[in-house]
Amino acid sequence: MSIDLSKMPKLGFGMMRLPQQGSSIDLDRVCQMVDAYMAAGMNYFDTAYVYHGGMSERVIKDAITKRYPRESFMLATKLPAWCMRSEADRDRIFNEQLERCGVDYFDFYLLHSVEDGGNGETYERLDCYNWGIEKKAAGKIRHFGLSFHGSPAYLEKVLDAHPEIEFVQIQLNYLDWNNQVVCSGALHKILSSRNIPMIIMEPVKGGTLASLRPDLEAKFKAARPNASIASWALRFVASLPGVMTILSGMSTEEQMQDNVQTFQNFEPLSEEEKALVNEVRDRMLDVPQIGCTSCRYCTDGCPMRISIPDVFKAVNTIRLYNETFRPKNFYNSLIGQGCGRASECIACGQCEGVCPQHLPIIDLLKEASEVLDH
C-alpha cells in the first residue's frame, strides 16, 4: 500500500512535549489542542513507547481514540531498540502499544532512532525489518518506516538492504542543514534522490528557532511583521521537496494556533526569504551552541537527577544573549525542584548512550558547571 501524499497533512501533532499539570499530563488541555488541530482539517499524531515515560501513548486513547472515529485520524508510534533484549520483546511491546492507544492497527510504525552501531545493530539482530513486513501483511501496520538519527552513509546502507522501508523520519531544520553530526541537508538529498517520503522532526529544533536574538528576530520581522519567528522555521522545511509531514511537539494552545495558521495559509519561501533564512543561520552559527533538542532521553536514567536539557538550555542562553542573571535563576530553580547540579555528574555515561545527537554530555556538564555553579 503506497502512501497517498495528498491525504497527509503538512503539520503533524507530535505528542512528545505535551502540556503538564504538576508531574502529570494535562489531559483537558491536550483534548482542547487535539480538537483545535482536528477542526483545522489535520489528523496525523506521532507518539512513541517511551514518550512521557510511556504516558503519551495512553493519552492517545483518552484524547483521541475514545473521542474520534478510528478512520478519522492517522497514528504513528515507534519500536525502541533500547527496550528489547530478545525477539519476543517485539510483540510484547507492540501489543502493549495497541492496548495503550486503544487501537487495532497503526497507520505508521517506525523503528525508533535508527543509527550506526547500537540501535541499528539491535534492529538487525532481532530481525525487526522482516517482523515489520509481517505486521504489515497482517494488517497491524499500514506503513512501515524509520526514525533515523545516523550518518548519511548508514542511511544509504539501510535503504539498500531494506527496500521495504516506505518513509523515513529525520531531524531537519535550517540551523542543522550543514551540521556535521545531524546532517540534515545530506539526509534530505539521499531521500529525495530515492523518492522516499520524509517526515520531519525538530523543525524548530526543540524551540531554539522559535525565539532568537533580538537583532535576528528584527530581520524576520522586517520582512514579515505579522509572522511568528517559529513560522519561518516551519516554512523553510515545508518548502523543501519530498517533505510529507512536519512534526511539531506543541506544548501550548498558542503554539498550536500559530502552527495551524502557518499551514492553513501556507506560502513557500520566496528566493529573497530563503536568502534571509540563510543569513540568519550564518549569524546564529557565529555563536557556539550545544546542539541539544530537549528530547529528554537522557534524563530518565540519570542517577543524579540532572535535568540535562535544561542545563544546556541555560548555557546556550548565556552564549546567545551574553547575560547570566536569568539563565542562572532558571538553573537555580531546577535545583530547588530537586534536580541535581551539573557538578554532581558521576560520569556514568548513561546519558551519552541514548543521546540521538551524540553529544559529549559528560564534558559539556563539566563546562556547564563552571558557568552555572560559580
Side-chain angles (χ1 to χ4, degrees), residues 314-336:
V315 172
N316 281 341
T317 301
I318 290 172
R319 291 180 181 179
L320 278 172
Y321 292 94
N322 197 30
E323 64 99 4
T324 61
F325 178 74
R326 290 174 187 165
K328 281 196 172 185
N329 274 359
F330 170 74
Y331 174 72
N332 288 328
S333 74
L334 296 174
I335 309 307

Side-chain angles (χ1 to χ4, degrees), residues 116-270:
D116 318 49
N119 290 351
E121 292 174 359
T122 297
Y123 293 125
E124 296 286 358
R125 177 173 57 85
L126 299 181
D127 199 23
C128 292
Y129 292 92
N130 284 324
W131 173 85
I133 293 172
E134 293 168 2
K135 284 286 183 254
K136 184 178 176 183
K140 295 297 184 179
I141 296 173
R142 291 193 170 174
H143 300 291
F144 183 52
L146 310 175
S147 165
F148 191 81
H149 282 284
S151 67
Y154 188 60
L155 178 60
E156 296 263 31
K157 179 180 178 181
V158 171
L159 295 176
D160 286 343
H162 299 288
E164 64 272 17
I165 296 303
E166 299 175 80
F167 67 96
V168 177
Q169 184 167 308
I170 61 170
Q171 176 174 324
L172 192 155
N173 55 70
Y174 66 75
L175 194 61
D176 286 328
W177 189 255
N178 296 313
N179 185 314
Q180 294 183 353
V181 174
V182 179
C183 305
S184 289
L187 297 179
H188 178 268
K189 183 177 180 180
I190 291 168
L191 295 168
S192 294
S193 70
R194 293 174 180 250
N195 294 315
I196 296 175
M198 286 167 262
I199 295 175
I200 304 303
M201 54 187 159
E202 304 294 354
V204 193
K205 200 170 173 65
T208 300
L209 304 181
S211 177
L212 308 179
R213 296 199 320 254
D215 60 314
L216 300 182
E217 288 196 1
K219 289 182 176 293
F220 282 147
K221 286 298 184 181
R224 281 186 172 244
N226 297 322
S228 69
I229 303 304
S231 71
W232 284 87
L234 293 172
R235 290 176 60 226
F236 170 85
V237 176
S239 299
L240 296 169
V243 170
M244 181 170 67
T245 293
I246 300 165
L247 300 176
S248 178
M250 295 172 279
S251 304
T252 68
E253 294 83 351
E254 291 76 19
Q255 290 173 359
M256 168 70 67
Q257 182 179 6
D258 182 51
N259 291 350
V260 166
Q261 183 177 357
T262 296
F263 287 102
Q264 279 187 319
N265 307 290
F266 181 70
E267 296 179 47
L269 292 178
S270 66

Side-chain angles (χ1 to χ4, degrees), residues 249-323:
M250 295 172 279
S251 304
T252 68
E253 294 83 351
E254 291 76 19
Q255 290 173 359
M256 168 70 67
Q257 182 179 6
D258 182 51
N259 291 350
V260 166
Q261 183 177 357
T262 296
F263 287 102
Q264 279 187 319
N265 307 290
F266 181 70
E267 296 179 47
L269 292 178
S270 66
E271 291 304 314
E272 293 79 8
E273 288 175 326
K274 289 178 184 177
L276 179 55
V277 170
N278 289 337
E279 179 188 349
V280 167
R281 175 176 62 210
D282 292 344
R283 294 281 297 276
M284 291 181 71
L285 292 175
D286 284 341
V287 180
Q289 292 283 283
I290 299 173
C292 173
T293 66
S294 299
C295 70
R296 312 197 78 83
Y297 296 168
C298 57
T299 56
D300 287 345
C302 178
M304 305 311 293
R305 297 191 64 200
I306 302 171
S307 186
I308 297 168
D310 293 316
V311 172
F312 293 164
K313 181 178 180 179
V315 172
N316 281 341
T317 301
I318 290 172
R319 291 180 181 179
L320 278 172
Y321 292 94
N322 197 30
E323 64 99 4

